[in-house]
């Protein structure tokens, strides 16, 4: 029984166990079905999620990269990334992230970047530029690999504004143009003033380079400044620029190296020099005019002396003539002639100095430097000769022969005058000024020394700077700087040595010139074999009388008329070989007379004789005007009768029927330009 | 000095029976115990029974509750009364009780804690297994005594009747109550808890719940989801839910032990609103999975729990074993239920005095120094070491 009971218990136990197992099997099956359904729902969700991801990935307004977590190779990137950086889509899948992310080393410094942390990084674009982005990453599984999903939001514009705001105060300048450019000269940013000044819109400006704004020939300025700025220097330089309309504007720029958008760049602020240059030119002109004024008083002074000599000599001549002492009379007349000659030279020099403002009009010639020194010494004697203690002043001129230089005599003259004046001013109590010129090797050295107060060493350095002066408001401070510029243009240099209390020596060194010296005087022309029929139309009776008296003993048959009408009537009635007509007649001008004669000859079909204009104005005449008026030469007063005779002979000899010489403005003492 | 012993009585739950039980214990201990534990089935004459015990022992330092099976040094017994006592000069015991679990479980916990001295190192807690929120009681206790106060014990049973359970303190026979004994002194406690159930099926999210009541899983009525899981066996709910409890996934608050999950056994279902009531809280938002176990895994769990408790003794000699195991394990183990206790006793020491019962829920920390939790379907082992 017990065994049966136990057996029954066992059966019951097994039945319970079976029931339990069945139950478990059923439940596990149900769970499996549930799990399968869940799995399918999950798959569907994953598919939807994947599709959503793809949509976001493709259309996101930010760059998205999926990179291998170990190698950082780019496995996928979205359309925005391609467009933003400019790379072809296929290209990005062949590179690592560090090949397009400039700051990748920093980003991956500690291995994988901290998920979710936003960091600012830089990317390299396809065209070599750089852009800024806020980057955030997160880990994800992609293609069975541990990867990183990287989102990059472009913040370049914001960075630009941030960087610009650093220079906001400079850019806000209402008066000065401001540039930011890279070291290749590409303009990266400009302010409104720059746009207005140069006439470009900002978008246009940002497509330009500095070279586009540079006047031809100034490129080396940019190259030099670039080298200095690359060394980290802040520099100041002058730069001639050209606007959109072709206007040239000189600028003084201050430039310094900066960092702009993470790249080395240059920040430049410009100051328009036009006004300053005009001011300088005006001051120079003013200084010259002031000097001219001083010269004029010197000239007046000398003229008074000369006139005194002439008056005195004239009285002597008259008295000796009356006494029958012809030789004494002749000597007196020669004195008068010499004084008159000197007077005309003085006038010519002052005209050279005052009127040649534009040195381009004066020709570059080879000339003896000694002549300039002598004349300058002569002209400045008035500065001390009339002083109460003039005996304390001595002027020595020591000039070696053959000191030939090439240049513009009037400019050298101006320099010497300036230095002489300074020398004399440095000797308030008297002293000696020495002018010396000598040839040293291939140079001509000119020393202008004084025994004056000397120049302190601290002033020596600044002596040639514009506006530097120790003489207070009475001096423009431009004399020495102007002289410096003149000597430089002549290929020379100017130096100064000075000892305080003992004196100063300025040394000018100019290149020694070779070649023919510009002839100052025409060699005498031999007398013509035939008579020269000379018509003079001049309203100044004294001049007519002087000429009549002189030509009386020559081959010249002078016919003088005091009015244009009389002169034209004479011309119409008889033939002349040469006509000299005063420019400023009472009834007609010399131009009108010339024009009448030219047209008359054309109508008559007759050859036009050489027509010369006689004038005291020593300035260039318009060639067209000369031609139109039939003027063959211009004769500048004063001209001695002897020189006039040579001129008439030369004109008659060289002129031929129907052959008109090219009209030229010439000085009475200078060679003709041609023919 | 530490002496412990247990005695067993069958079938006589009256005053005389209580006297006999107490006399047997006194004889064993050879002295008056400082603390006693009584576990027995529900009976109408329990007040007389307790009177007989306490009068004979000469002390009301007695704690206990009704069960779903009793455990003593004599092994697993059913429908018996087991009485244990400790005589020691190394441990001071303090006792507390509070009522009103159904409506204010956390307050009950607070009252218990406030009644125990602050130097209390270890608490054994027995609460009504049908009424009240065991998790709330723990929160109440920990809010006063700190989150790392070591608490073990179990919720009272009624042999599967699920009608009423009783809790004992001294002469008092209480219901809807919690009773606690606090240990303070020179001793060690090693605890271990394991279930043997493993998760199966797909995780579901608790989308609506309130305390012990689960309303929705993944937005669907909980009952509907369970019926899908259980199929034709769903009509056996809640019983079948004990075999296949719900496992709460993920890390537990304040507990670093990964992989462990609290199990929740079904207590009842509401076919009107599709809700299921469990024997512990189901937090809203938790991820849950259905779990299942078998005899081998359940027994293996007992072995692991015993091993954990031994480690927790940190070298001290085991002096007394408290065994609180879930009645659901009896359903799985069936005839082999005895093996569970045997496995534990073999590991802790076959001669170590043993007392305990099969519970409707267990209290135990997951690791030494960690928080205590209300468990379902687990075997808990608490060992006093001297």
């Amino acid at each position: 029984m017990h065994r049966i009971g136990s057996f029954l218990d066992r059966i019951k136990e097994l039945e319970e166990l079976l029931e339990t197992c069945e139950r478990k099997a059923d439940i596990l099956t149900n769970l499996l079905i549930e799990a399968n359904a869940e799995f399918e729902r999950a798959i569907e969700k994953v598919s939807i999620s994947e599709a959503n991801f793809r949509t976001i990935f493709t259309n996101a307004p930010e760059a998205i990269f999926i990179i291998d977590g170990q190698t950082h190779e780019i496995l996928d990137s979205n359309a925005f990334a391609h467009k933003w950086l400019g790379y072809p889509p296929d290209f990005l899948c062949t590179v690592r992230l560090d090949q397009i992310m400039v700051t990748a080393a920093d980003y991956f410094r500690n291995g994988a970047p901290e998920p979710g942390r936003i960091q600012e990084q830089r990317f390299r674009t396809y065209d070599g530029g750089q852009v800024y982005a806020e980057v955030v990453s997160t880990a994800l599984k992609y293609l069975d690999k541990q990867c990183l999903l990287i989102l990059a939001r472009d913040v370049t514009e914001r960075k630009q504004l941030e960087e610009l705001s650093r220079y906001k105060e400079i850019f806000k300048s209402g008066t000065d143009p401001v540039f930011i450019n890279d070291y290749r000269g590409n303009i990266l940013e400009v302010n409104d003033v720059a746009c207005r000044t140069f006439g470009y819109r900002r978008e246009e400006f940002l497509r330009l380079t500095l070279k586009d704004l540079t006047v031809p020939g100034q490129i080396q300025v940019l190259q030099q400044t670039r080298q200095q700025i690359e060394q980290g220097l802040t520099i100041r330089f002058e730069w001639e620029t050209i606007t959109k309309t072709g206007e040239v504007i000189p600028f003084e720029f201050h430039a310094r190296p900066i960092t702009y958008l993470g790249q080395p760049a240059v920040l430049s602020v410009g100051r328009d020099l036009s006004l300053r240059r005009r001011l300088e030119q005006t001051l120079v002109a003013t200084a010259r005019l002031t000097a001219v004024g001083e010269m004029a008083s010197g000239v007046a002074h000398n003229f008074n002396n000369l006139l005194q000599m002439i008056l005195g000599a004239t009285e002597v001549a008259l008295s000796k003539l009356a006494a029958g002492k012809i030789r004494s009379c002749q000597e007196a007349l020669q004195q008068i002639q010499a004084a008159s000659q000197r007077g005309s030279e003085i006038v010519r020099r002052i005209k050279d100095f005052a009127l040649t403002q534009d040195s381009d009009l004066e020709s570059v010639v080879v000339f003896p430097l000694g002549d300039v020194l002598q004349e300058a010494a002569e002209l400045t004697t008035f500065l001390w000769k009339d002083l109460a203690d003039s005996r304390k002043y001595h002027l020595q001129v020591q000039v070696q022969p053959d000191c030939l230089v090439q240049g513009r005599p009037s400019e050298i003259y101006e320099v010497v005058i300036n230095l002489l004046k300074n020398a004399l001013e440095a000797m308030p109590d008297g002293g000696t000024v020495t002018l010396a010129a000598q040839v040293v090797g291939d140079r001509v050295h000119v020393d202008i020394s004084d025994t004056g107060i000397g120049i302190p060493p601290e002033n020596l350095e600044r002596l040639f700077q514009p506006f530097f002066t120790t003489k207070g408001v009475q001096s423009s401070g431009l004399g020495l700087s102007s002289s410096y510029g003149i000597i430089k243009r002549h290929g020379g240099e100017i130096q100064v040595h000075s000892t305080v209390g003992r004196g100063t020596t300025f040394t000018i060194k100019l290149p020694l010139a070779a070649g023919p010296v510009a002839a100052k005087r025409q060699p005498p022309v031999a007398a013509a074999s035939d008579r020269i029929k000379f018509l003079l139309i001049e309203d100044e009776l004294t001049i007519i009388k002087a000429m009549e008296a002189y030509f009386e003993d020559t081959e010249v048959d002078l016919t003088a008329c005091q009015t244009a009408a009389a002169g034209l009537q004479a011309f119409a009635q008889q033939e002349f070989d040469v006509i000299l007509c005063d420019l400023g007649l009472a009834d007609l001008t010399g131009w009108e007379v010339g024009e009448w004669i030219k047209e008359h000859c054309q109508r008559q079909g007759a050859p036009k004789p050489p027509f010369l204009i006689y004038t005291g104005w020593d300035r260039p005449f318009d060639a067209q005007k000369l031609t139109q008026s039939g003027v063959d030469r211009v004769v500048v007063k004063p001209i001695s009768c002897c020189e006039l005779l040579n001129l008439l002979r030369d004109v008659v000899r060289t002129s031929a029927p129907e052959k008109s010489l090219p009209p030229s403005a010439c000085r009475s003492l200078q060679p003709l330009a041609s023919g | 000095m530490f002496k412990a012993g247990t005695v067993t009585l069958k079938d006589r739950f009256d005053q005389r029976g209580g006297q006999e039980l107490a006399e047997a214990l006194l004889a064993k201990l050879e002295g008056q115990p400082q603390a006693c534990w009584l576990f027995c089935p529900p009976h109408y004459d329990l007040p007389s029974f307790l009177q007989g015990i306490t009068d004979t022992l000469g002390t009301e330092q007695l704690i206990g509750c009704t069960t779903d099976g009793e455990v003593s040094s004599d092994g697993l017994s059913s429908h018996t009364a087991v009485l244990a006592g400790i005589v020691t000069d190394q441990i001071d015991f303090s006792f507390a009780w509070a009522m009103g679990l159904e409506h204010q479980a956390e307050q009950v916990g607070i009252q218990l804690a406030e009644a125990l001295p602050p130097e209390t190192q270890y608490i054994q807690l027995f609460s009504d297994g049908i009424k009240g929120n065991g998790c709330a009681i723990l929160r109440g206790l920990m809010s006063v005594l700190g989150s790392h106060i070591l608490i073990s014990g179990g919720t009272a049973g009624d042999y599967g009747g699920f009608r009423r359970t009783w809790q004992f303190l001294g002469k008092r026979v209480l219901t809807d109550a919690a009773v606690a004994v606090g240990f303070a002194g020179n001793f060690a406690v090693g605890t271990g808890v394991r279930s043997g159930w493993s998760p199966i099926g797909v995780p579901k999210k608790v989308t609506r719940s309130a305390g012990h009541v689960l309303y929705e899983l993944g937005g669907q009525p909980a009952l509907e989801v369970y019926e899908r899981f259980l199929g034709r066996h769903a009509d056996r709910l809640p019983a079948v839910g004990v075999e296949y409890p719900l496992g709460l996934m993920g890390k537990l608050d304040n507990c670093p032990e990964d992989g462990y999950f609290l199990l929740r056994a079904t207590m009842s279902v509401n076919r009107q609103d599709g809700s299921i009531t469990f024997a512990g809280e189901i937090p809203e938002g938790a991820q849950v999975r259905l779990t299942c176990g078998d005899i081998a895994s359940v027994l293996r769990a007992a072995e692991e729990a015993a091993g954990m408790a031994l480690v927790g003794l940190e070298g001290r000699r085991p002096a007394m074993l408290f065994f609180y195991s879930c009645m659901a394990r009896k359903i799985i183990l069936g005839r082999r239920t005895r093996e569970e206790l045997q496995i534990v006793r073999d590991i802790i020491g076959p001669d170590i005095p043993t007392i305990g019962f099969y519970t409707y829920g267990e209290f135990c920390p997951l690791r030494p120094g960690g928080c205590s939790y209300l468990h379902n379907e687990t075997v808990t082992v608490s060992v006093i070491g001297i």
Side-chain angles (χ1 to χ4, degrees), chain A residues 266-316:
Chain A
V266 181
L267 177 72
S268 308
V269 182
R271 187 57 61 86
D272 190 344
L273 288 181
S274 312
L275 181 64
R276 195 171 90 185
R277 293 257 174 98
R278 282 201 293 276
L279 196 62
E280 276 182 15
Q281 283 167 8
T282 306
L283 283 170
V284 167
T286 307
R288 297 192 84 176
L289 286 172
T290 307
V292 166
E294 290 176 348
M295 293 305 112
S297 58
V299 162
H301 185 277
N302 277 355
F303 249 74
N304 282 340
N305 290 343
L306 288 172
L307 285 172
Q308 188 61 51
M309 281 172 60
I310 291 168
L311 275 172
T314 307
E315 284 172 0
V316 166

Side-chain angles (χ1 to χ4, degrees), chain A residues 179-195:
Chain A
F179 295 87
I180 296 180
N181 57 273
D182 64 18
Y183 280 104
R184 287 181 293 184
N186 297 309
I187 295 172
L188 305 176
E189 193 54 74
V190 290
N191 69 346
D192 292 342
V193 176
C195 295

Side-chain angles (χ1 to χ4, degrees), chain A residues 222-500:
Chain A
L222 294 180
Q223 288 163 352
Q224 283 163 9
T225 56
R226 174 186 167 164
Q227 282 165 8
Q228 288 175 296
I229 292 170
E230 275 177 336
Q231 292 166 19
L233 300 171
T234 296
I235 60 164
R236 190 178 63 174
F237 63 98
E238 290 190 11
W239 178 33
E240 299 242 321
T241 62
I242 189 160
T243 67
K244 189 176 181 181
T245 55
E247 183 190 346
V248 172
I249 305 179
F251 273 100
E252 181 185 70
F253 270 93
H254 278 82
R256 63 182 173 92
I258 61 167
T259 302
Y260 183 70
L261 296 180
Q263 295 299 308
V266 181
L267 177 72
S268 308
V269 182
R271 187 57 61 86
D272 190 344
L273 288 181
S274 312
L275 181 64
R276 195 171 90 185
R277 293 257 174 98
R278 282 201 293 276
L279 196 62
E280 276 182 15
Q281 283 167 8
T282 306
L283 283 170
V284 167
T286 307
R288 297 192 84 176
L289 286 172
T290 307
V292 166
E294 290 176 348
M295 293 305 112
S297 58
V299 162
H301 185 277
N302 277 355
F303 249 74
N304 282 340
N305 290 343
L306 288 172
L307 285 172
Q308 188 61 51
M309 281 172 60
I310 291 168
L311 275 172
T314 307
E315 284 172 0
V316 166
L318 285 171
S319 108
K320 296 300 179 192
L321 185 63
K325 295 178 180 173
I326 302 301
R327 186 194 294 263
S328 300
C329 177
Q330 193 177 22
E331 286 172 2
L333 287 171
Q334 281 171 347
Q335 280 182 2
I336 293 166
Q337 188 184 41
S340 304
Q341 201 74 29
R342 284 188 62 190
S344 78
E345 284 173 16
I346 288 169
V347 169
R348 188 174 54 76
R349 281 286 169 258
I350 196 67
K351 277 197 240 172
D352 284 352
F353 183 75
L355 295 178
T356 313
Q357 301 276 333
D358 188 347
S359 54
D360 284 344
L361 288 175
E362 186 188 6
S363 304
V364 171
V365 294
V366 175
F367 62 95
L369 195 55
D371 289 357
V372 171
L373 294 179
Q374 295 276 14
E375 288 167 17
E378 181 118 1
L379 200 59
T380 51
T381 52
F382 79 94
L383 289 173
W384 49 272
K385 272 284 169 100
D386 275 349
L387 293 176
D389 47 359
S390 63
R391 284 175 299 172
K392 293 183 184 173
Y393 290 89
H394 305 278
L395 182 62
Q396 297 170 356
V397 181
Q398 301 157 357
V399 178
Q400 268 187 7
D402 302 326
C403 290
L404 299 177
V405 295
Q406 183 172 12
R408 296 191 170 95
S410 65
E411 290 191 340
I412 303 299
Y413 190 65
E414 179 185 334
V415 171
V416 174
I417 290 282
N418 198 26
L419 293 174
L420 277 175
K421 276 183 59 188
N422 287 349
L424 290 166
E425 284 169 2
M427 305 184 302
D429 300 323
T432 303
V433 176
T434 308
L435 277 175
Q438 59 177 331
V439 174
V440 177
D442 62 347
R443 302 206 139 204
V444 175
H445 285 207
V446 178
D447 288 314
I448 300 158
S449 310
D450 65 66
T451 56
I453 57 176
I455 303 170
E458 59 271 17
N459 287 346
L460 276 179
E461 292 167 4
R462 304 175 59 192
L463 213 56
F464 296 106
Q465 286 178 6
F467 305 110
F468 175 75
T469 178
T470 57
K471 300 175 194 169
V473 297
Q474 69 205 19
S475 167
S476 67
L478 287 171
L480 282 176
S481 75
S482 174
S483 301
Y484 183 87
I486 290 169
I487 299 299
K488 272 288 185 194
R489 284 200 295 277
H490 281 76
E493 52 184 297
I494 182 167
Q495 294 164 351
V496 56
H497 294 92
S498 183
T499 306
V500 171

